[in-house]
């Protein structure tokens, strides 16, 4: 097996409205990638939690490159997983030839998840890893891994506790790979996910303490599809009861404020089921609802 991944295509060009790639120390990134190769080669077989985002796609691709038939990527389907994210995951699998399966998770049957307290993500990941462990036992896969990277440890992510309790491997973190390095290495390998915007489950759009339901997830999913169809790239629809608070990336905010465009946003988001639509002048912020935890 080669020390370098085989590209699934020639190096992909950035999307027309993609942000510029973050500068990285290429030598350091390649050294960390080699460390990742070594870690993966030491495994007998592996299930990879694959959401379709840049991190899990890179990990799943490297596992496929190193372990071949002994690696299987798993994507969990639930009401909090958007249609768009499923389409993106399917497209990556088709392009890369990964061994891959969808499974269903039932976190919405757990009252502790529906309550949407600050530990909601813990209950989601606990359910995911329970399902993956059952599958691993049935198929004789020795270990499970997920795509946490070195930057993620600086954010509030209760799901990491579930990973620790289930003894889930974190190869990207163990190799000390950062998000910027993963994006650069993904671009170098020709992975189309290299510049994919940050994504998260639809439940993350709902303030803590407000119950999450499949019906609310569907409404948010429809509203975000409106923004995507209008050409926006990085955004969130935060659901505050009947009010939809739209966060757009700062470099896209001026477009959203144009009267003709804002009217289309309002009409589309209202058609999705919200009564009031507002644009957040601070723009998109990852985990912007976490500030409410500090207020409480």
């Amino acid at each position: 097996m080669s020390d370098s991944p085989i590209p699934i295509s020639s190096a992909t060009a950035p999307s027309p409205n993609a942000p510029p790639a973050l500068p990285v120390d290429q030598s350091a990134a390649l050294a960390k990638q080699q460390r990742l190769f070594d870690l993966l080669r030491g495994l007998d077989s592996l299930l990879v939690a694959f959401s379709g985002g840049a991190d899990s796609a890179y990990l799943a691709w490297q596992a496929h490159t190193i372990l071949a038939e002994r690696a299987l990527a798993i994507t969990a389907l639930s009401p909090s997983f958007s249609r768009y994210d499923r389409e993106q995951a399917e497209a990556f699998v088709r392009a890369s030839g990964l061994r891959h399966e969808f499974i269903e998770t039932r976190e919405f049957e757990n009252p502790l998840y529906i309550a949407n307290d600050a530990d909601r993500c813990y209950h989601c990941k606990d359910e995911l890893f329970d399902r993956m462990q059952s599958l691993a036992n049935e198929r004789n896969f020795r270990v499970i891994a997920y795509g946490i990277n070195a930057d993620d440890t600086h954010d509030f992510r209760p799901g990491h506790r579930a990973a620790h309790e289930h003894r889930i491997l974190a190869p990207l973190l163990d190799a000390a790979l950062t998000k910027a390095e993963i994006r650069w290495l993904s671009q170098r390998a020709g992975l189309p996910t290299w510049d994919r915007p940050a994504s998260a489950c639809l439940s993350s759009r709902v303030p803590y303490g407000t119950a999450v339901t499949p019906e609310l997830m569907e409404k948010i999913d429809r509203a975000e599809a409106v923004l995507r169809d209008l050409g926006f790239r990085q955004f969130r629809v935060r659901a505050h009861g009947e009010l939809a608070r739209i966060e757009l990336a700062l470099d896209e905010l001026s477009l959203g404020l144009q009267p003709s465009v804002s009217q289309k946003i309002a009409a589309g988001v209202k058609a999705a089921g919200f009564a009031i639509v507002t644009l957040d002048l601070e723009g998109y912020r990852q985990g912007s609802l976490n500030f409410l935890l500090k207020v409480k």
Side-chain angles (χ1 to χ4, degrees), residues 113 117-126 157-160 162 208:
Y113 179 85
D117 290 333
D119 63 350
R120 180 201 68 239
C121 189
Y122 167 82
H123 299 293
C124 176
K125 289 294 189 291
D126 186 51
R157 301 198 178 198
H160 299 336
Y208 294 116

Side-chain angles (χ1 to χ4, degrees), residues 5-13 21 24 29-30 33 36-37 52-62 92 172 177-196:
I6 303 169
I8 61 176
S9 66
S10 59
T12 12
V24 299
L30 290 171
Q33 179 174 248
L36 176 65
F37 292 167
D55 298 332
S56 66
Y58 173 73
L59 176 59
W61 167 246
Q62 295 292 19
F92 184 81
L172 302 180
L177 282 160
T178 66
K179 171 69 80 172
E181 290 168 336
I182 291 166
R183 289 191 182 281
W184 180 78
L185 290 166
S186 296
Q187 184 184 26
R188 181 175 179 271
L191 303 186
T193 48
W194 78 270
D195 66 341
R196 189 176 176 203

Side-chain angles (χ1 to χ4, degrees), residues 217-266:
M217 300 300 99
E218 174 67 21
K219 186 161 69 170
I220 295 169
D221 199 6
R222 292 196 303 265
E224 293 200 343
V226 170
L227 298 173
R228 193 173 293 109
D229 290 344
L230 288 172
F232 292 100
R233 186 169 187 275
Q234 182 72 79
F235 54 80
R236 294 287 187 270
V237 174
R238 309 290 189 187
H240 301 265
E242 291 302 313
L243 183 148
R245 177 171 59 84
I246 311 296
E247 295 179 5
L248 301 175
L250 288 176
D251 60 352
E252 298 181 287
L253 186 55
S254 60
L255 173 61
L257 290 170
Q258 292 180 12
S260 61
V261 178
S262 62
Q263 288 172 9
K264 291 178 182 178
I265 292 174

